[in-house]
């Protein structure tokens, strides 16, 4: 009875309160607590952030985030087109300050207060309309539609210069990795307002040496990327692998194809395209961007940025630069930068990489001292540009590792087999594990047994693909963790008495045989530190990978048409390692390692020839005896791009 009276009194008090003429407006108790839209107040912000749905020529609208400094007038636009969520890319942190809001790599744009920054979701991703196709090909045999990244970039730039009233009508594009790919795409039939481009670590040729394959060997880290990018439009999912050590996990499921089937990848279109095209056929050739860019008129100045330890896209930047360079007759349109970074490291802190310490923040040095003046030259208003000093951009700006200093060069590479200022110089593998600039006479080989059941890991176990820090630095991990394995051959020079500088791409010339009918060859060029390094004791005896890569043996005669390897017959394998500008210092040794697996980064070769390795069965995986020949006419060697060390 008492609780009933109390409840009656409570309702009476509430009714009297609501009826009182002076009572303030009251939100109804069942009014939704989540509004249809919420706009955070930004009155105290030093920028304005706008979101637009920009229409493309086929009617599809692309979500675009535009960040404008308050009070901006006649400001240039810097555009990035991304599959990684434009809203997040444009907002590193929630802040009223543009400097804190935009990504770290953008700080050089913000400090002067003169740039408008734009991020756009590519079609089919996040808030953009349309269908998503991984690295959508240009219109043509692989794309029968009327749109591609070239047309989308053109239509976006056209809209921006017409509707962003604070701009001066000049647009530059920058971006790394996939975003670098979209920058290159914009250079195909470019919009007249596109005045400059900076593609960084761009995806260019997914089979030869960028994300998906390296020389025919499939990179299994792509499973996570493909899953995250294509399973959902606006959500990045993770493979429910059920094991921490990916070395054991991939061994458990067998071939890459069996792994894919177990985790439902057959539902994902891009995986099916990869599995159906294991060789360098028309599908991959038709998507390679370096010949496409080379065929375009060299209208838009571009600065192509590459990382010397790029663990994802180490091929495309330099391939594009080299393909385009013959058209740059004035040496003033096609620029190259090589920095001591991991993939996309140009946009982050560049002071260290793994155990390596550089001379300051090399990434900031480049962004502030080279890239920003380069962009200013082409994007600021004519009146301002005429009154500003010349950017003085070197044709090639490269970081020399070993000595740790930037160099300004007029061309790249500095040494090669022919057509370079210096000829390359072979360094030969010798029996017994030595390495010399002179070839050994006679007939000799070293051998090992490659067992697919016990593949050589690419980094110390446990291997956990989700460990992003380990992924970023694995190319500079101390290679002693495999030196001494019975299935890894190591060859080392005597300690150097003078510095040896290389500036270009080392080229592998391997003479080898296998008892199987297929096989992979992993070759590593390594700088071995002295036993003691007083300035950094943990580097004592360190084996630093300078240039390393893999080649799938079935493609030795043709990348498009694979063929079995004749068992027991010496074959020639010739392939380039990634570019390097490195000095092997006195007291250091040059080392070469040879092995036949790099797992689980690359799928295992069964070492028995099958038409499609993705479909290999458990019985196809067999041990093979690998012989590397090290004397006479069949002496294996690395053609080093040696130049004079200063």
């Amino acid at each position: 009875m008492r609780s009933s009276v109390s409840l009656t009194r409570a309702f009476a008090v509430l009714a009297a309160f609501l009826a009182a003429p002076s009572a303030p407006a009251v939100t109804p108790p069942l009014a939704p607590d989540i509004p249809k839209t919420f706009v955070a107040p930004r009155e105290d912000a030093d920028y304005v952030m706008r979101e637009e749905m920009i229409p493309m020529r086929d009617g599809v609208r692309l979500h675009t985030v535009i960040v404008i400094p308050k009070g901006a007038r006649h400001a240039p636009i810097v555009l990035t087109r991304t599959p990684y969520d434009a809203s997040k890319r444009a907002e590193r942190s929630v802040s009223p300050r543009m400097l804190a809001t935009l990504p770290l790599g953008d700080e050089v744009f913000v400090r002067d207060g003169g740039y408008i920054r734009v991020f756009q979701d590519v079609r089919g991703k996040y808030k953009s309309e349309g269908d998503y196709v991984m690295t959508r090909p240009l219109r043509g045999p692989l794309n029968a539609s009327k749109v591609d990244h070239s047309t989308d970039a053109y239509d976006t730039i056209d809209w921006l210069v017409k509707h962003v009233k604070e701009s001066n009508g000049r647009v530059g594009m920058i971006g790394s990795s996939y975003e670098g790919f979209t920058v290159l795409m914009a250079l195909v039939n470019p919009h007249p307002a596109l005045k400059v481009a900076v593609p960084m670590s761009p995806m260019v040729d997914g089979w030869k040496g960028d994300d998906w394959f390296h020389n025919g060997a499939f990179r299994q880290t792509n499973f996570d990327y493909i899953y995250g990018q294509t399973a959902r439009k606006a959500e990045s999912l993770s493979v429910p692998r059920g094991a921490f050590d990916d070395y054991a996990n991939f061994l458990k499921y067998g071939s890459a194809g069996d792994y894919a089937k177990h985790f439902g990848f057959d539902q994902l279109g891009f995986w099916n395209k990869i599995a159906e095209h294991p060789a360098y056929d028309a599908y991959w050739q038709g998507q390679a961007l370096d010949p496409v860019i080379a065929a375009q008129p060299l209208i838009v100045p571009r600065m192509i940025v590459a990382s010397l330890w790029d663990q994802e896209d180490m091929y495309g930047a330099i391939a594009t630069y080299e393909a385009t360079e013959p058209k740059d007759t004035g040496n003033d349109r096609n620029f190259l930068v090589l920095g001591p970074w991991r993939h996309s490291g140009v946009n982050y802190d560049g002071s260290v990489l793994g155990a390596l310490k550089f001379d300051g923040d090399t990434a900031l040095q480049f962004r502030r001292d080279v890239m920003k003046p380069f962009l200013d030259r082409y994007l600021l208003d004519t009146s301002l540009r005429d009154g500003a000093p010349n950017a003085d951009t070197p044709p090639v700006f490269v970081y020399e590792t070993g000595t740790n200093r930037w160099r300004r060069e007029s061309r790249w590479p500095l040494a090669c087999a022919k057509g370079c200022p210096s000829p390359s110089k072979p360094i030969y593998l010798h029996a017994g594990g030595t390495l010399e600039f002179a070839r050994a006479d006679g007939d000799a080989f070293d051998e090992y047994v490659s067992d697919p059941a016990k593949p050589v890991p690419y980094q110390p176990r446990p291997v956990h693909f989700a460990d992003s820090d380990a992924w970023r630095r694995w190319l500079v991990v101390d290679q002693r963790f495999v030196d001494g394995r019975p299935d890894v051959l190591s060859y080392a020079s005597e300690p150097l008495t003078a510095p040896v500088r290389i500036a270009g791409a080392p080229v592998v010339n391997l003479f080898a045989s296998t008892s199987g009918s297929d096989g992979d060859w992993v070759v590593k060029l390594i700088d071995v530190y002295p036993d003691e390094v007083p300035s950094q004791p943990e580097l004592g005896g360190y084996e630093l990978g300078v240039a390393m890569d893999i080649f799938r043996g079935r493609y030795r005669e043709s990348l498009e048409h694979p063929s079995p390897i004749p068992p027991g017959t010496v074959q020639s394998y010739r392939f380039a390692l990634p570019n390097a500008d490195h000095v092997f210092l006195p007291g250091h040794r040059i080392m070469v390692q040879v092995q036949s697996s790099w797992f689980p980064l690359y799928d295992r070769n069964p070492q028995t020839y099958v038409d499609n390795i993705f479909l290999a069965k458990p019985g196809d995986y067999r041990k093979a005896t690998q012989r590397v020949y090290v004397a006479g006419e069949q002496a294996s060697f690395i053609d080093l791009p040696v130049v004079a060390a200063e």
Side-chain angles (χ1 to χ4, degrees), residues 127-191:
K127 298 178 185 177
S128 283
E129 298 172 351
D131 296 325
Y132 179 67
V133 177
M134 184 79 77
T135 54
R136 178 185 291 266
L138 288 165
R139 291 168 294 166
L142 299 175
N143 180 356
S145 76
K146 297 181 179 179
V147 294
D148 54 31
H149 285 294
S150 170
T151 64
D152 285 351
Y154 190 103
D155 295 348
T156 298
I157 293 171
D158 196 65
W159 189 96
L160 289 171
V161 297
K162 291 176 180 176
H163 293 85
V164 180
K165 303 305 181 185
E166 298 88 345
S167 84
N168 64 0
R170 296 174 176 271
V171 178
M173 286 190 69
I174 65 171
S176 184
S177 193
Y178 199 124
E179 295 171 358
F181 158 79
T182 65
V183 174
L184 290 179
M185 281 291 215
L187 296 177
V188 178
N189 303 316
H191 192 284

Side-chain angles (χ1 to χ4, degrees), residues 24 60 94-95 117 299 406 509 543 593:
V60 167
V94 179
S95 171
R117 196 66 172 92
I299 298 172
W406 285 106
N509 290 263
E543 294 181 4
Q593 287 182 352

Side-chain angles (χ1 to χ4, degrees), residues 298 325-335 377 395 410:
L298 185 55
E325 185 64 5
K327 287 191 173 181
D328 189 16
T329 55
N331 213 15
D332 59 358
R333 289 281 189 194
N334 190 44
F335 299 86
R377 176 183 177 188
S410 62

Side-chain angles (χ1 to χ4, degrees), residues 72-155:
R73 295 177 63 250
H74 306 296
I77 295 172
V78 174
L79 167 66
T80 297
R81 305 189 62 252
T82 182
Y84 303 127
D85 191 349
S87 296
K88 289 185 178 179
R89 291 285 287 112
E91 196 167 48
R92 173 175 36 145
S93 60
V94 179
S95 171
R97 302 289 171 258
M98 193 170 173
L99 186 67
T101 298
L102 290 178
L104 175 65
D106 284 8
E107 290 184 356
V108 294
F109 304 133
V110 180
R111 292 190 187 279
D112 292 345
Y115 276 74
I116 297 168
R117 196 66 172 92
V118 178
F119 293 88
Q120 181 182 73
D121 290 323
V122 299
R123 64 171 56 224
K125 287 298 290 182
Y126 294 92
K127 298 178 185 177
S128 283
E129 298 172 351
D131 296 325
Y132 179 67
V133 177
M134 184 79 77
T135 54
R136 178 185 291 266
L138 288 165
R139 291 168 294 166
L142 299 175
N143 180 356
S145 76
K146 297 181 179 179
V147 294
D148 54 31
H149 285 294
S150 170
T151 64
D152 285 351
Y154 190 103
D155 295 348

Side-chain angles (χ1 to χ4, degrees), residues 324-394:
T324 310
E325 185 64 5
K327 287 191 173 181
D328 189 16
T329 55
N331 213 15
D332 59 358
R333 289 281 189 194
N334 190 44
F335 299 86
L336 178 67
V337 174
L338 292 169
W341 312 307
R342 48 93 173 178
H343 181 67
S344 297
V346 62
N347 291 310
Y348 300 92
D349 183 278
S351 304
V352 299
L353 181 61
L356 304 183
K357 299 177 181 179
F358 305 119
D359 186 14
D361 186 344
T362 58
L364 176 60
Q365 292 164 7
F366 159 71
R367 297 194 307 266
R368 180 192 62 214
D369 303 335
V370 179
M371 185 180 73
K372 178 61 163 47
F374 178 72
L375 293 173
D376 286 349
R377 176 183 177 188
Y378 296 102
L379 293 179
L380 294 182
D381 278 340
T382 303
S383 59
L384 295 175
R385 283 188 296 118
D386 289 346
N390 190 290
D392 190 28
T393 307

Side-chain angles (χ1 to χ4, degrees), residues 309 351-358 402 404 476-480 526-545 582 585 587-589:
W309 283 287
S351 304
V352 299
L353 181 61
L356 304 183
K357 299 177 181 179
F358 305 119
N404 289 344
V476 297
V477 165
D478 189 343
Q479 293 301 305
R480 281 180 293 189
I526 294 168
D527 183 347
V528 183
Y529 282 60
D531 291 339
E532 288 188 306
V533 180
S535 61
Q536 196 175 346
E538 66 272 22
L539 289 182
Y542 202 92
E543 294 181 4
L544 171 67
H582 183 77
L585 296 171
H588 291 229
R589 291 180 294 150

